[in-house]
Amino acid sequence: WPGFGHMHSVPRLRKWMNEQDPQLSVKLSDDQIAAGGAWQRRTPHAVLNVLRANQLEAAESRRQSPQMYSRNIRVLVAEEEDGGIGIDTLTSDLERERNMS
């Protein structure tokens, strides 16, 4: 899965999934974990966030990365019965988007 922007490694994402959502983690392959990490970093438009050092420090200290990434992976790549959208749906939506241009 190609990355979009700065991405966490698959081992780190897997660790967070194991800690936050162990039942789903055992169901997902490393490829699915990587896809979930990539999809949540994707945007249809170029985005540049400009923050002052003190703003970045405040944002980093408040963010709960393990919870946020695990929740987003569940929503994006888990199958519908597990509360997600699913890779098949995301892939077909991406293909449809590519064909529009």
Side-chain angles (χ1 to χ4, degrees):
W1 284 91
F4 302 99
H6 171 74
M7 286 188 49
H8 292 287
S9 68
V10 173
R12 177 176 288 166
L13 294 173
R14 172 67 74 188
K15 176 180 178 278
W16 289 344
M17 286 298 299
N18 287 339
E19 292 169 354
Q20 302 297 318
D21 200 343
Q23 290 180 319
L24 180 61
S25 185
V26 298
K27 292 181 179 182
L28 297 179
S29 68
D30 283 349
D31 192 49
Q32 290 171 307
I33 296 281
W39 277 104
Q40 63 187 293
R41 303 292 303 174
R42 187 177 183 281
T43 177
H45 307 287
V47 175
L48 179 63
N49 291 326
V50 179
L51 299 173
R52 293 186 179 107
N54 63 335
Q55 293 171 315
L56 181 60
E57 185 178 340
E60 287 293 325
S61 67
R62 287 189 218 137
R63 184 177 68 199
Q64 301 290 320
S65 294
Q67 294 90 344
M68 179 183 68
Y69 277 86
S70 298
R71 182 188 65 238
N72 290 346
I73 288 171
R74 171 177 283 282
V75 169
L76 290 167
V77 302
E79 295 304 319
E80 199 171 321
E81 64 268 12
D82 289 319
I85 296 169
I87 288 185
D88 291 340
T89 300
L90 292 170
T91 301
S92 68
D93 288 352
L94 178 59
E95 285 305 313
R96 194 174 21 215
E97 185 181 305
R98 285 179 177 158
N99 291 332
M100 284 199 263
S101 46

